[in-house]
Amino acid sequence: MKLLEIKDLSVQYSTDDSIVRAVNNISIVINEGETLGLVGETGAGKTTTALSIIQLIPEAVGKIVSGQIIYKGRDLVKENKRGMRKVRGDKISMIFQDPMTSLNPVLTVADQIVEVILLHQKVSRAEALCKATEMLELVGISSNRINEYPHQFSGGMKQRVVIAIALACNPELLIADEPTTALDVTIQAQVIHLMDKLKEQFNTSMLMISHDLGVIAEICDRVAIMYAGEIVEYGTVKDLYENKLHPYTEGLFGSIPRLDLDVQRLNPVDGMMPDPSNLPSGCFFHPRCMHCMEKCKKQSPPTIEHAPGHWVKCWLWNNQPNVEKGGVK
């Protein structure tokens, strides 16, 4: 059953001299109890997509120009600020990328966990503190550290505190924006294992944003590959890891070291992500694509269903009969 559905979402940022097209007509679905991975290079539009869901796009420069974000029948794009405050942190929570800047340095860990509980639940401060202590122990931090400040914790411990805050109200959807990027490899594995365990324990759906395909393979059910604000390939983890269709997906996998191959150099995607304020004509990936055809330079390809549940946006696969324009259905 669908928990969250994004339909034809477009987000733009305005600067003094240009319009930045950060997200361009994307469509994705997150089902109840499912983890969806959102993968792409820096600048692909992953974080903007996440911030759109919880309506945290900076109002001064950004706006959702079209599309719907439907959560359990409600279009969050049309929700007012008061309505979103009830959803954000309670029904939908987010773990931000950098644990060092996600916590308030002048408040104790207890205060920061208690704050979100009191905001969304009708409980006394004593009850909220008891729940905060339970959450801290749940993420592997001793309860006797609850009155300490963020600077007294390591990076991995800070991220555990952020996870405790995000899960304090038992949200139905957890958005994790590259939660392990700022951590070392050993701590990354611990945090990923912790998140996966808590997801199962709380029956929480998750949107996992990452550029680490190893993390995605370990924790996700389905994967959406994002490039220049578009979803270029979408399917189950098995679909994408065993039958890569889009040249960009091939390039992402080609940049990963493999122990079973003896090679001198990796084979990454040539070139750079395009400037979102000056996107190329036709297929946005064509300047970097080794399979580029003349049609690719002039026309944007439709999104087609190559196999049941496996979608791709590329002219190489346009001979398929089942064509749907606008994104994943």
Coordinates of all heavy atoms in Angstrom, one line a residue, residues 125-203:
R125 N 6.4 16.6 31.0 CA 7.8 16.7 30.7 C 8.5 15.4 31.3 O 9.5 14.9 30.7 CB 8.4 18.0 31.3 CG 9.9 18.1 31.0 CD 10.4 19.4 31.4 NE 11.9 19.5 31.0 CZ 12.3 19.7 29.8 NH1 11.5 20.0 28.8 NH2 13.6 19.8 29.6
A126 N 8.0 15.0 32.5 CA 8.6 13.8 33.1 C 8.5 12.6 32.2 O 9.4 11.8 32.0 CB 8.0 13.6 34.5
E127 N 7.3 12.4 31.6 CA 7.0 11.3 30.7 C 7.9 11.4 29.4 O 8.4 10.4 28.9 CB 5.6 11.2 30.3 CG 4.7 10.8 31.5 CD 3.2 10.9 31.2 OE1 2.8 12.0 30.5 OE2 2.4 10.0 31.5
A128 N 8.0 12.7 29.0 CA 8.8 12.9 27.8 C 10.3 12.6 28.0 O 11.0 12.0 27.2 CB 8.7 14.3 27.3
L129 N 10.8 12.9 29.2 CA 12.2 12.6 29.6 C 12.4 11.1 29.7 O 13.4 10.6 29.3 CB 12.5 13.3 30.9 CG 13.9 13.2 31.4 CD1 14.9 13.9 30.3 CD2 14.1 13.9 32.7
C130 N 11.4 10.4 30.2 CA 11.5 9.0 30.3 C 11.6 8.3 28.9 O 12.4 7.5 28.7 CB 10.3 8.4 31.1 SG 10.3 6.6 31.3
K131 N 10.7 8.9 28.0 CA 10.8 8.4 26.6 C 12.1 8.7 25.9 O 12.7 7.9 25.2 CB 9.6 9.0 25.8 CG 9.6 8.6 24.3 CD 9.2 7.2 24.1 CE 9.2 6.8 22.6 NZ 8.1 7.5 21.9
A132 N 12.6 9.9 26.2 CA 13.9 10.3 25.7 C 15.0 9.4 26.1 O 15.9 9.0 25.3 CB 14.2 11.8 26.0
T133 N 15.0 9.0 27.4 CA 16.0 8.1 27.9 C 15.9 6.8 27.2 O 16.9 6.2 26.9 CB 15.8 7.9 29.5 OG1 15.8 9.2 30.1 CG2 16.9 7.0 30.1
E134 N 14.7 6.3 27.0 CA 14.5 5.0 26.3 C 15.1 5.1 24.9 O 15.7 4.1 24.4 CB 13.0 4.6 26.3 CG 12.4 4.3 27.6 CD 10.9 4.1 27.5 OE1 10.4 4.1 26.4 OE2 10.3 3.9 28.6
M135 N 14.8 6.2 24.2 CA 15.3 6.3 22.8 C 16.8 6.4 22.8 O 17.4 5.8 21.9 CB 14.7 7.6 22.2 CG 13.2 7.6 22.0 SD 12.7 6.2 21.0 CE 13.7 6.4 19.5
L136 N 17.4 7.0 23.7 CA 18.8 7.1 23.8 C 19.5 5.7 24.0 O 20.4 5.4 23.3 CB 19.3 8.1 24.9 CG 20.6 8.8 24.7 CD1 20.6 9.7 23.4 CD2 21.0 9.7 25.9
E137 N 18.9 4.9 24.9 CA 19.4 3.6 25.1 C 19.1 2.7 23.9 O 19.9 1.8 23.6 CB 18.7 3.0 26.3 CG 19.2 3.7 27.6 CD 18.6 3.1 28.9 OE1 17.5 2.5 28.7 OE2 19.2 3.2 30.0
L138 N 18.0 3.0 23.2 CA 17.7 2.2 22.0 C 18.7 2.4 20.9 O 19.0 1.4 20.1 CB 16.3 2.7 21.5 CG 15.6 1.7 20.5 CD1 15.3 0.4 21.2 CD2 14.3 2.4 20.0
V139 N 19.3 3.5 20.8 CA 20.4 3.8 19.8 C 21.8 3.5 20.3 O 22.8 3.8 19.7 CB 20.3 5.2 19.2 CG1 19.0 5.4 18.5 CG2 20.5 6.3 20.3
G140 N 21.9 2.9 21.5 CA 23.2 2.4 22.0 C 24.0 3.4 22.8 O 25.2 3.3 22.9
I141 N 23.3 4.4 23.4 CA 24.0 5.4 24.2 C 23.4 5.3 25.7 O 22.2 5.2 25.9 CB 23.7 6.8 23.7 CG1 24.3 7.0 22.3 CG2 24.4 7.9 24.6 CD1 24.0 8.4 21.7
S142 N 24.4 5.2 26.6 CA 24.0 5.0 28.0 C 23.1 6.2 28.5 O 23.3 7.4 28.2 CB 25.2 4.9 28.9 OG 24.9 4.9 30.2
S143 N 22.1 5.9 29.3 CA 21.2 6.9 29.7 C 21.8 7.9 30.7 O 21.3 9.0 30.8 CB 20.0 6.2 30.5 OG 20.5 5.5 31.6
N144 N 23.0 7.6 31.3 CA 23.6 8.5 32.2 C 24.3 9.7 31.4 O 24.8 10.6 32.0 CB 24.6 7.8 33.1 CG 25.7 7.1 32.3 OD1 26.0 7.4 31.2 ND2 26.3 6.1 33.0
R145 N 24.2 9.6 30.1 CA 24.8 10.7 29.3 C 23.7 11.7 28.7 O 24.0 12.6 28.0 CB 25.6 10.2 28.1 CG 26.8 9.2 28.5 CD 27.7 9.0 27.4 NE 28.4 10.2 26.9 CZ 29.2 10.3 25.9 NH1 29.5 9.2 25.2 NH2 29.8 11.4 25.6
I146 N 22.5 11.5 29.2 CA 21.4 12.3 28.6 C 21.5 13.8 28.9 O 21.0 14.6 28.1 CB 20.1 11.7 29.1 CG1 18.9 12.2 28.2 CG2 19.8 12.0 30.5 CD1 17.7 11.4 28.3
N147 N 22.2 14.2 30.0 CA 22.3 15.6 30.3 C 23.6 16.2 29.8 O 23.9 17.3 30.2 CB 22.2 15.8 31.8 CG 20.7 15.5 32.3 OD1 19.8 16.0 31.7 ND2 20.6 14.8 33.4
E148 N 24.3 15.5 28.9 CA 25.5 16.0 28.3 C 25.2 16.9 27.0 O 24.0 16.8 26.5 CB 26.5 14.9 27.9 CG 27.0 14.2 29.2 CD 28.0 13.1 28.8 OE1 28.4 13.0 27.6 OE2 28.5 12.4 29.7
Y149 N 26.1 17.6 26.6 CA 26.0 18.5 25.4 C 26.6 17.9 24.2 O 27.4 17.0 24.3 CB 26.6 19.9 25.7 CG 25.9 20.7 26.7 CD1 26.1 20.5 28.1 CD2 24.9 21.6 26.4 CE1 25.5 21.2 29.1 CE2 24.2 22.3 27.3 CZ 24.5 22.1 28.7 OH 23.8 22.9 29.6
P150 N 26.1 18.3 23.0 CA 26.6 17.6 21.7 C 28.1 17.6 21.6 O 28.7 16.6 21.1 CB 26.0 18.5 20.6 CG 24.7 19.0 21.2 CD 25.0 19.2 22.7
H151 N 28.8 18.6 22.1 CA 30.3 18.6 21.9 C 31.0 17.5 22.7 O 32.2 17.2 22.5 CB 30.9 20.0 22.3 CG 30.9 20.3 23.8 ND1 29.8 20.9 24.5 CD2 31.8 20.0 24.8 CE1 30.1 20.9 25.7 NE2 31.3 20.4 26.0
Q152 N 30.3 16.9 23.6 CA 30.8 15.8 24.4 C 30.7 14.5 23.8 O 31.2 13.5 24.3 CB 30.2 15.8 25.8 CG 30.4 17.1 26.7 CD 29.6 17.1 27.9 OE1 28.5 17.5 28.0 NE2 30.3 16.6 29.0
F153 N 30.1 14.4 22.6 CA 29.9 13.2 21.8 C 30.8 13.2 20.6 O 31.1 14.2 20.0 CB 28.5 13.0 21.4 CG 27.5 12.8 22.6 CD1 27.0 13.9 23.3 CD2 27.1 11.6 23.0 CE1 26.1 13.7 24.4 CE2 26.2 11.4 24.0 CZ 25.7 12.5 24.7
S154 N 31.2 12.0 20.2 CA 31.9 11.8 18.9 C 30.9 12.0 17.7 O 29.7 12.0 17.9 CB 32.5 10.4 18.9 OG 31.5 9.4 18.8
G155 N 31.4 12.0 16.5 CA 30.6 12.1 15.3 C 29.6 11.0 15.2 O 28.4 11.2 14.9
G156 N 30.0 9.8 15.4 CA 29.1 8.6 15.4 C 28.0 8.7 16.4 O 26.9 8.3 16.2
M157 N 28.4 9.1 17.6 CA 27.4 9.2 18.7 C 26.4 10.4 18.5 O 25.2 10.2 18.8 CB 28.2 9.5 20.1 CG 29.1 8.4 20.5 SD 28.2 6.9 20.9 CE 28.2 7.1 22.7
K158 N 26.9 11.5 17.9 CA 26.0 12.5 17.5 C 24.9 12.0 16.5 O 23.8 12.4 16.6 CB 26.8 13.7 16.9 CG 27.5 14.6 17.8 CD 28.0 15.8 17.1 CE 28.9 16.8 17.9 NZ 30.2 16.3 18.1
Q159 N 25.4 11.2 15.5 CA 24.4 10.7 14.6 C 23.4 9.8 15.2 O 22.2 9.8 14.8 CB 25.2 10.0 13.4 CG 24.3 9.7 12.2 CD 23.8 11.0 11.5 OE1 22.9 11.7 12.0 NE2 24.3 11.3 10.3
R160 N 23.8 9.1 16.2 CA 22.9 8.2 17.0 C 21.9 9.1 17.7 O 20.7 8.7 17.8 CB 23.7 7.3 18.0 CG 24.5 6.2 17.3 CD 25.4 5.5 18.3 NE 26.1 4.5 17.7 CZ 25.8 3.2 17.6 NH1 24.7 2.8 18.2 NH2 26.6 2.3 17.0
V161 N 22.3 10.2 18.3 CA 21.4 11.1 18.9 C 20.4 11.7 17.9 O 19.2 11.8 18.2 CB 22.2 12.3 19.6 CG1 21.2 13.3 20.2 CG2 23.0 11.7 20.7
V162 N 20.9 12.0 16.7 CA 20.0 12.6 15.7 C 19.0 11.5 15.3 O 17.8 11.8 15.1 CB 20.8 13.0 14.5 CG1 19.9 13.4 13.3 CG2 21.7 14.2 14.8
I163 N 19.4 10.2 15.2 CA 18.4 9.2 14.9 C 17.4 9.0 16.0 O 16.2 8.8 15.7 CB 19.2 7.8 14.6 CG1 20.1 7.9 13.4 CG2 18.3 6.6 14.6 CD1 21.0 6.8 13.2
A164 N 17.8 9.1 17.2 CA 16.9 9.0 18.4 C 15.9 10.1 18.3 O 14.7 9.9 18.6 CB 17.7 9.1 19.7
I165 N 16.3 11.4 17.9 CA 15.3 12.5 17.8 C 14.3 12.2 16.7 O 13.1 12.4 16.8 CB 16.1 13.8 17.6 CG1 16.9 14.2 18.8 CG2 15.1 14.9 17.2 CD1 17.9 15.4 18.5
A166 N 14.9 11.7 15.6 CA 14.0 11.4 14.4 C 13.0 10.3 14.7 O 11.9 10.4 14.1 CB 14.9 11.0 13.2
L167 N 13.3 9.4 15.5 CA 12.4 8.2 15.8 C 11.6 8.4 17.0 O 10.8 7.5 17.4 CB 13.2 6.9 15.8 CG 13.9 6.5 14.5 CD1 14.8 5.3 14.8 CD2 12.8 6.1 13.5
A168 N 11.8 9.5 17.8 CA 11.2 9.7 19.1 C 9.6 9.6 19.0 O 9.0 9.2 20.0 CB 11.6 11.0 19.7
C169 N 9.0 10.0 17.9 CA 7.6 10.0 17.8 C 7.1 8.9 16.9 O 5.9 8.9 16.5 CB 7.1 11.4 17.3 SG 7.3 12.7 18.5
N170 N 7.9 7.9 16.7 CA 7.5 6.7 15.9 C 7.0 7.2 14.5 O 5.8 6.8 14.2 CB 6.5 5.8 16.6 CG 7.0 5.3 17.9 OD1 8.2 5.3 18.1 ND2 6.1 4.8 18.7
P171 N 7.7 7.9 13.7 CA 7.2 8.3 12.4 C 6.9 7.2 11.4 O 7.5 6.1 11.6 CB 8.4 9.2 11.9 CG 9.6 8.6 12.5 CD 9.2 8.2 13.9
E172 N 6.0 7.4 10.5 CA 5.7 6.4 9.5 C 6.7 6.5 8.4 O 6.9 5.5 7.6 CB 4.3 6.7 9.0 CG 3.2 6.4 10.0 CD 1.8 6.7 9.5 OE1 1.6 7.8 9.0 OE2 0.9 5.8 9.7
L173 N 7.3 7.6 8.1 CA 8.3 7.8 7.1 C 9.6 8.5 7.6 O 9.5 9.5 8.2 CB 7.8 8.6 5.9 CG 8.8 8.9 4.8 CD1 9.3 7.6 4.1 CD2 8.2 9.8 3.7
L174 N 10.7 7.8 7.4 CA 12.0 8.4 7.9 C 12.8 8.7 6.6 O 13.1 7.9 5.8 CB 12.8 7.4 8.7 CG 14.1 7.8 9.3 CD1 14.0 9.0 10.2 CD2 14.8 6.7 10.0
I175 N 13.2 10.0 6.5 CA 14.1 10.4 5.4 C 15.5 10.5 5.9 O 15.8 11.3 6.9 CB 13.6 11.8 4.8 CG1 12.2 11.7 4.4 CG2 14.5 12.2 3.7 CD1 11.6 13.1 4.0
A176 N 16.4 9.8 5.3 CA 17.8 9.8 5.8 C 18.7 10.4 4.6 O 18.8 9.7 3.6 CB 18.3 8.4 6.1
D177 N 19.1 11.6 4.8 CA 19.9 12.3 3.8 C 21.4 12.0 4.0 O 22.1 12.7 4.8 CB 19.6 13.8 3.8 CG 20.3 14.5 2.7 OD1 20.9 13.9 1.8 OD2 20.2 15.8 2.7
E178 N 21.9 11.0 3.3 CA 23.3 10.6 3.4 C 23.8 10.6 4.9 O 24.7 11.3 5.3 CB 24.2 11.6 2.6 CG 23.8 11.6 1.1 CD 24.8 12.2 0.2 OE1 26.0 12.1 0.5 OE2 24.4 12.8 -0.8
P179 N 23.2 9.8 5.7 CA 23.4 9.9 7.2 C 24.8 9.4 7.6 O 25.2 9.6 8.8 CB 22.3 9.0 7.8 CG 22.0 8.0 6.7 CD 22.2 8.8 5.4
T180 N 25.5 8.7 6.7 CA 26.8 8.2 7.1 C 28.0 8.9 6.4 O 29.2 8.5 6.6 CB 26.9 6.7 6.8 OG1 26.8 6.5 5.3 CG2 25.8 5.9 7.5
T181 N 27.7 9.9 5.6 CA 28.8 10.6 4.8 C 29.9 11.2 5.7 O 31.1 11.1 5.4 CB 28.2 11.7 3.9 OG1 27.3 11.1 3.0 CG2 29.2 12.4 3.2
A182 N 29.5 11.8 6.8 CA 30.5 12.4 7.7 C 31.2 11.5 8.7 O 32.0 11.9 9.5 CB 29.8 13.6 8.4
L183 N 30.9 10.2 8.6 CA 31.5 9.2 9.5 C 32.5 8.3 8.9 O 32.5 8.1 7.7 CB 30.3 8.4 10.1 CG 29.1 9.1 10.6 CD1 28.0 8.1 11.0 CD2 29.5 10.0 11.8
D184 N 33.4 7.8 9.7 CA 34.4 6.9 9.2 C 33.8 5.5 8.9 O 32.6 5.2 9.3 CB 35.6 6.7 10.1 CG 35.2 6.1 11.5 OD1 34.7 4.9 11.5 OD2 35.4 6.7 12.5
V185 N 34.5 4.7 8.1 CA 33.9 3.5 7.6 C 33.3 2.5 8.6 O 32.2 2.0 8.5 CB 34.9 2.7 6.7 CG1 34.4 1.4 6.2 CG2 35.4 3.6 5.5
T186 N 34.1 2.3 9.7 CA 33.6 1.4 10.8 C 32.3 1.9 11.4 O 31.4 1.1 11.6 CB 34.7 1.3 11.9 OG1 35.9 0.9 11.3 CG2 34.3 0.3 12.9
I187 N 32.2 3.2 11.7 CA 31.0 3.8 12.3 C 29.9 3.8 11.3 O 28.7 3.6 11.7 CB 31.3 5.2 12.8 CG1 32.5 5.2 13.8 CG2 30.1 5.8 13.5 CD1 32.3 4.3 15.0
Q188 N 30.2 4.0 10.0 CA 29.2 3.9 9.0 C 28.4 2.6 9.1 O 27.2 2.6 9.1 CB 29.8 4.0 7.6 CG 30.1 5.5 7.2 CD 30.6 5.5 5.8 OE1 30.4 4.6 5.0 NE2 31.3 6.6 5.4
A189 N 29.2 1.5 9.2 CA 28.5 0.2 9.2 C 27.6 0.0 10.4 O 26.5 -0.5 10.4 CB 29.6 -0.9 9.2
Q190 N 28.1 0.6 11.6 CA 27.3 0.5 12.8 C 26.0 1.3 12.7 O 24.9 0.8 13.1 CB 28.1 1.0 14.0 CG 29.3 0.1 14.3 CD 30.1 0.8 15.4 OE1 29.8 1.8 16.0 NE2 31.3 0.1 15.7
V191 N 26.1 2.5 12.1 CA 24.9 3.3 12.0 C 23.9 2.7 11.0 O 22.7 2.7 11.3 CB 25.3 4.8 11.6 CG1 24.1 5.6 11.2 CG2 26.1 5.4 12.7
I192 N 24.4 2.2 9.9 CA 23.5 1.5 8.9 C 22.8 0.3 9.5 O 21.6 0.2 9.4 CB 24.3 1.1 7.7 CG1 24.7 2.3 6.8 CG2 23.5 0.2 6.8 CD1 23.6 3.2 6.3
H193 N 23.5 -0.5 10.3 CA 22.9 -1.6 10.9 C 21.9 -1.2 11.9 O 20.8 -1.8 12.0 CB 24.0 -2.5 11.6 CG 23.5 -3.6 12.4 ND1 23.0 -4.8 11.8 CD2 23.4 -3.8 13.8 CE1 22.6 -5.6 12.8 NE2 22.8 -5.0 14.0
L194 N 22.2 -0.1 12.7 CA 21.3 0.4 13.7 C 20.0 0.9 13.0 O 18.9 0.6 13.5 CB 21.9 1.5 14.4 CG 21.0 2.3 15.4 CD1 20.6 1.4 16.6 CD2 21.7 3.6 15.9
M195 N 20.1 1.7 11.9 CA 18.9 2.2 11.2 C 18.1 1.1 10.7 O 16.8 1.1 10.7 CB 19.4 3.1 10.1 CG 20.0 4.4 10.6 SD 20.6 5.5 9.3 CE 19.1 5.8 8.4
D196 N 18.7 0.1 10.1 CA 18.0 -1.1 9.5 C 17.2 -1.8 10.6 O 16.0 -2.2 10.5 CB 18.9 -2.0 8.8 CG 18.2 -2.9 7.8 OD1 17.2 -2.5 7.3 OD2 18.8 -4.0 7.6
K197 N 17.8 -2.0 11.8 CA 17.2 -2.7 12.9 C 16.0 -1.9 13.5 O 14.9 -2.5 13.7 CB 18.2 -2.9 14.0 CG 17.7 -3.7 15.2 CD 18.7 -3.9 16.3 CE 18.9 -2.6 17.1 NZ 19.7 -2.7 18.3
L198 N 16.2 -0.6 13.6 CA 15.1 0.3 14.2 C 14.0 0.4 13.2 O 12.8 0.5 13.6 CB 15.7 1.6 14.5 CG 16.7 1.7 15.7 CD1 17.2 3.1 15.8 CD2 16.0 1.2 16.9
K199 N 14.3 0.4 11.9 CA 13.2 0.5 10.8 C 12.3 -0.8 11.0 O 11.1 -0.6 10.9 CB 13.9 0.5 9.5 CG 12.9 0.3 8.3 CD 13.7 0.2 7.0 CE 12.8 -0.2 5.9 NZ 12.3 -1.6 5.9
E200 N 12.9 -1.9 11.1 CA 12.1 -3.2 11.3 C 11.4 -3.1 12.6 O 10.2 -3.5 12.7 CB 13.1 -4.4 11.3 CG 13.8 -4.6 9.9 CD 12.8 -4.9 8.8 OE1 11.7 -5.6 9.1 OE2 13.1 -4.5 7.7
Q201 N 12.0 -2.6 13.7 CA 11.3 -2.6 15.0 C 10.1 -1.7 15.0 O 9.1 -2.0 15.6 CB 12.4 -2.2 16.0 CG 11.8 -2.2 17.5 CD 12.9 -1.9 18.5 OE1 14.1 -2.1 18.2 NE2 12.6 -1.5 19.6
F202 N 10.2 -0.5 14.4 CA 9.1 0.4 14.4 C 8.2 0.3 13.1 O 7.3 1.1 13.0 CB 9.7 1.9 14.4 CG 10.3 2.2 15.8 CD1 11.7 2.1 16.0 CD2 9.5 2.6 16.8 CE1 12.2 2.4 17.3 CE2 10.0 3.0 18.1 CZ 11.4 2.8 18.3
N203 N 8.6 -0.6 12.2 CA 7.8 -0.7 10.9 C 7.7 0.6 10.2 O 6.7 1.0 9.8 CB 6.4 -1.3 11.2 CG 5.7 -1.7 9.9 OD1 6.4 -2.2 9.0 ND2 4.4 -1.6 9.9

